[in-house]
Amino acid sequence: MKKALFKQKPKTPVELVRHARELILFVESKTCTRESKREEKLAELNKTILEIRTALYGNGESEPNADACSQITREFFTDDTFRIFILYLGKLKLGARQDATHIIANLQRQRVCSTIVASQYLEKNLDLVGMLICGYDQEGDVALTFGAVARECIRHQSVAKYVLESENMKKFFEYIQIPNFEIASDAVATFKELLTRHKPTVAEFLSKNYDWFFQEYNSQLLESTSYFTRRYAIKLLGDMLLDRSNSSVMVRYVSSLDNMRILMNLLRDSNKTIQLDTFHVFKLFVANQNKPPEVVSILVTNKHKLLQFLENFNCEKADDHFQADKQQVISEIIALQLKDQPCKSLDNCEVPC
């Protein structure tokens, strides 16, 4: 009866966020030498994080309260509570870390007085984004957590632009080839998000950084010995080049003899999915109405082998659209003629047969 009389009053949304902040600072301060006390505070922190998540997402029976969500959002971006959460994220146990990741993801979408507060905050704290990207240097689940949070943050165009223009962008060519398949796959997901979500920003980045970016992309990804790397790389290349926003980049890419050499080698890949995705990029070289003479020369010189390959080229995933594209490519190749250009051959490249 006595316990019921003095039952603790539920914390308000603002109090929940402040309490979580205080608990993190307490645990990190190491002022408490008793392990049992520290474990007690960690358990309380896990419980508080879950309560914040429930307030933001609802409990399954009732929808979240809009005013409560606004209060939580405002409080998170006051006194650097968001920064403290990010810095402590990797030290949380898996369950609490997943709850915290959901909270961070939700905050990226919350509007307060029609303003996405998270975007404004991150613009002034871009070092946090760099730290998240470098999270792929961590091991196991922690790297996956940082990757998931990074993808949520680059929903904001200003944040994505910062990552694209930073030195961290070059690190993705290493992260994608990490031996740990889960981490490499997660890095691929973040890389793809950076290169496809904010189209005008991506187009500007690719135009300004064409030389180094595609040199790395070709040599490290398309020509990788890893099947996984080649498969994802050729698919993403198609997505980028076929996007209208990247039309000028596409024209530049398909005007390169070196690029065509790489694509023709990929057409010979033993994997049918890679072959199919390669075809969708190779057709752009053939369809280019302003082919450089050296590209025309190679296509004409290898016309017979190319036509032979294309006539027999079919995949399980092929549909009517693919068949139409294939016939168009065949027609274009048949119509090609040399215009007083000396014949050349592709070094280290064999036309598929």
Side-chain angles (χ1 to χ4, degrees), residues 85-350:
F85 245 66
I86 294 289
L87 294 176
Y88 193 71
L89 192 59
K91 299 178 183 180
L92 290 168
K93 290 183 179 179
L94 182 59
R97 199 182 329 131
Q98 289 174 336
D99 288 334
T101 301
H102 283 292
I103 290 171
I104 293 168
N106 187 286
L107 292 173
Q108 305 313 307
R109 300 167 173 80
Q110 290 289 342
R111 292 179 180 271
V112 177
C113 298
S114 302
T115 300
I116 299 180
V117 185
S119 179
Q120 290 185 337
Y121 179 87
L122 287 171
E123 284 178 22
K124 298 175 183 177
N125 295 272
L126 290 168
D127 62 302
L128 285 178
V129 184
M131 190 204 77
L132 289 170
I133 299 298
C134 292
Y136 284 119
D137 291 320
Q138 303 289 326
E139 296 182 359
D141 293 331
V142 174
L144 301 180
T145 297
F146 281 121
V149 173
R151 283 193 296 281
E152 291 297 334
C153 291
I154 60 181
R155 292 171 60 88
H156 310 302
Q157 188 166 3
S158 58
V159 175
K161 182 179 174 66
Y162 163 77
V163 178
L164 286 168
E165 295 176 350
S166 73
E167 286 298 308
N168 287 324
M169 191 62 188
K170 296 179 180 179
K171 294 182 180 179
F172 276 98
F173 293 102
E174 300 172 15
Y175 295 148
I176 288 164
Q177 300 181 77
I178 288 174
N180 184 305
F181 180 75
E182 278 192 297
I183 296 177
S185 298
D186 199 272
V188 164
T190 306
F191 192 57
K192 180 179 180 181
E193 189 78 358
L194 282 165
L195 291 167
T196 56
R197 174 176 278 274
H198 304 287
K199 299 184 185 302
T201 301
V202 172
E204 180 183 1
F205 164 76
L206 292 176
S207 295
K208 288 182 177 178
N209 298 274
Y210 180 92
D211 290 331
W212 78 259
F213 179 81
F214 282 108
Q215 181 180 353
E216 294 295 302
Y217 199 98
N218 289 348
S219 62
Q220 295 207 44
L221 305 185
L222 291 179
E223 296 185 304
S224 170
T225 57
S226 164
Y227 152 74
F228 162 74
T229 303
R230 293 195 309 278
R231 179 175 176 177
Y232 118 78
I234 189 61
K235 178 67 171 67
L236 178 57
L237 179 64
D239 290 342
M240 289 190 291
L241 297 185
L242 288 165
D243 192 305
R244 290 183 180 179
S245 300
N246 300 325
S247 58
S248 61
V249 172
M250 182 270 287
V251 170
R252 186 174 177 183
Y253 190 88
V254 302
S255 297
S256 164
L257 181 61
D258 289 336
N259 293 342
M260 190 171 75
R261 173 186 61 80
I262 294 170
L263 269 291
M264 290 177 77
N265 278 329
L266 282 171
L267 277 175
R268 301 170 59 229
D269 200 282
S270 59
N271 182 269
K272 291 295 184 182
T273 301
I274 290 179
Q275 284 190 329
L276 181 60
D277 288 333
T278 300
F279 168 78
H280 288 304
V281 178
F282 178 72
K283 70 185 181 185
L284 300 175
F285 287 83
V286 179
N288 181 11
Q289 296 303 303
N290 296 301
K291 300 178 190 68
E294 61 269 24
V295 170
V296 175
S297 177
I298 292 302
L299 291 174
V300 171
T301 302
N302 296 282
K303 181 186 290 190
H304 176 71
K305 287 184 178 180
L306 280 168
L307 292 175
Q308 188 177 47
F309 168 76
L310 290 168
E311 289 289 356
N312 298 316
F313 179 44
N314 278 297
C315 298
E316 290 181 7
K317 296 181 180 179
D319 53 17
D320 291 343
H321 184 66
F322 163 77
Q323 296 297 341
D325 282 349
K326 189 176 81 166
Q327 289 306 313
Q328 182 62 36
V329 170
I330 289 173
S331 298
E332 292 276 359
I333 292 175
I334 290 174
L336 281 175
Q337 292 182 353
L338 286 175
K339 297 180 180 178
D340 300 321
Q341 304 296 333
C343 290
K344 300 178 182 179
S345 61
L346 281 175
D347 295 332
N348 303 318
C349 176
E350 293 182 22

